[in-house]
């Protein structure tokens, strides 16, 4: 909120100045994915250096929050780490909003443990057993005789939804597997980092852009006995890393004016550089 107030103050101040007629100007509000919030802030900062009379405010809160804001007309761009659901699109149409989808990059969801945890790799079925609560002790996987502490993002998070659909339910539409009710639901990816870093028994997940030396990423296999792969740009792009997903931006209809200018910047070489700096993979546009 404080950052937005600063931006609005700057925008008001500049509005009093003479804006050169050849310079684009205006205000863009971006809301949504917590996974993407650092990326969107970096893109916004670089964009504003190039276009000093356009101000971009970025807030997180989760993919669901961003999509709801787009539907309610309270943001210009929604960032999301999942696709809009059919019911969300239907509600948008009822309110006169025409969601336009853009895949802007790709992310691998890292599954992380404390660096002191001796477990280095797991398969998707094993992750399902852990996060659903079927297996509750690390010794089953060659770790210490300690109860597993499950960390999850909160339900409004696109990462939470993707992990449930593709790991707990393994992509099966008729599967109703849920997270263990004892799982701790955390409000941000950074909160997962902090908890795993100080808890040797914890396991959590987040977009690989949040990886750092304080946590250890596990190598993941699609099935037990198959090759395991770490979340990396090469492994995500080649499809070897099994928990990968596209990243989305949504606008109301075909973007025009400064909204289009921002989207063009996201796909530009300068925009792609920000994806890599944060730890994501930019979409290659021919």
């Amino acid at each position: 909120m404080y950052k937005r107030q600063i931006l609005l103050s700057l925008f008001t101040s500049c509005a009093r100045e003479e804006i050169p007629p050849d310079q684009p100007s205006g205000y863009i509000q971006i809301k949504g994915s917590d996974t993407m919030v650092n990326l969107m802030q970096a893109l916004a900062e670089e964009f504003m250096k190039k276009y000093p009379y356009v101000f971009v405010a970025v807030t997180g809160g989760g993919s669901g929050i961003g999509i709801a804001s787009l539907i309610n007309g309270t943001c210009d761009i929604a960032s999301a780490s999942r696709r809009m659901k059919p019911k969300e699109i239907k509600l948008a149409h009822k309110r006169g909003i025409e969601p336009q989808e853009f895949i802007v990059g790709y992310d691998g969801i890292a599954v992380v443990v404390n660096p002191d945890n001796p477990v280095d790799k797991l398969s998707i079925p094993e992750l399902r057993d852990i996060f659903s609560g079927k297996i509750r002790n690390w010794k089953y996987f060659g770790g210490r005789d300690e109860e597993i502490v499950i960390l999850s993002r909160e339900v409004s998070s696109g990462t939470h939804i993707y992990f449930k659909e593709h790991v707990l339910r393994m992509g099966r539409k008729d599967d109703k597997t849920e997270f263990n009710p004892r799982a701790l639901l955390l409000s941000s990816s950074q909160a997962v980092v902090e908890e795993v870093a100080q808890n040797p028994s914890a396991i959590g997940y987040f977009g690989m852009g949040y990886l750092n030396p304080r946590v250890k990423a596990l190598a993941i296999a699609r099935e037990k006995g198959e090759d395991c792969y770490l979340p990396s740009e090469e492994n995500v792009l080649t499809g070897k890393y099994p928990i990968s997903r596209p990243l989305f931006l949504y606008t109301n209809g075909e973007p025009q004016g400064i909204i289009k200018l921002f989207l063009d910047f996201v796909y530009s070489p300068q925009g792609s550089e920000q994806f890599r700096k944060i730890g994501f993979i930019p979409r290659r546009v021919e």
Side-chain angles (χ1 to χ4, degrees), residues 116-141:
D116 290 336
N117 190 324
V119 176
D120 293 315
K121 57 186 179 181
L122 291 169
S123 66
I124 296 289
E126 288 170 330
L127 290 175
R128 171 190 168 102
D129 288 343
I130 289 173
F131 282 89
S132 66
K134 182 178 180 180
I135 298 175
R136 300 190 177 189
N137 197 297
W138 280 114
K139 68 179 180 181
Y140 183 90
F141 304 103

Side-chain angles (χ1 to χ4, degrees), residues 35 109-113 131 150-155 157-164 168 179 184-185 188-189 192-193 196 203-208 243 245:
T35 293
I109 297 179
V111 180
V112 296
V113 296
F131 282 89
I150 302 170
L151 308 178
S152 173
R153 289 297 317 285
E154 58 191 2
V155 295
S157 162
T159 310
H160 172 103
I161 294 170
Y162 186 91
F163 198 85
K164 180 169 70 175
L168 270 73
F179 283 91
L184 302 177
L185 301 182
S188 69
S189 297
V192 178
V193 171
V196 171
I203 184 170
Y205 61 89
F206 46 65
M208 68 185 197
I243 319 176
R245 58 181 174 172

Side-chain angles (χ1 to χ4, degrees), residues 43-154:
L43 286 165
E45 288 169 9
E46 293 303 310
F47 178 81
M48 288 187 288
K49 290 177 185 177
K50 187 172 182 180
Y51 301 103
Y53 297 100
V54 181
F55 296 92
V56 185
V58 176
T59 54
S63 298
I65 298 297
I67 290 169
S69 297
L70 184 73
I71 293 171
N72 293 331
T74 56
C75 75
D76 303 294
I77 300 174
S79 59
S81 57
R82 64 166 175 85
R83 268 199 164 89
M84 285 186 72
K85 300 174 183 177
K87 64 180 181 181
E88 292 170 331
I89 295 173
K90 184 177 180 180
L91 178 59
H93 289 162
K94 283 181 66 176
R95 297 190 178 177
I97 303 295
E98 297 294 332
Q100 186 78 18
E101 177 184 285
F102 298 90
I103 296 176
V104 294
Y106 300 91
D107 180 28
I109 297 179
V111 180
V112 296
V113 296
N114 187 280
D116 290 336
N117 190 324
V119 176
D120 293 315
K121 57 186 179 181
L122 291 169
S123 66
I124 296 289
E126 288 170 330
L127 290 175
R128 171 190 168 102
D129 288 343
I130 289 173
F131 282 89
S132 66
K134 182 178 180 180
I135 298 175
R136 300 190 177 189
N137 197 297
W138 280 114
K139 68 179 180 181
Y140 183 90
F141 304 103
R144 301 185 184 94
D145 185 6
E146 297 174 346
E147 184 175 357
I148 299 171
V149 177
I150 302 170
L151 308 178
S152 173
R153 289 297 317 285
E154 58 191 2

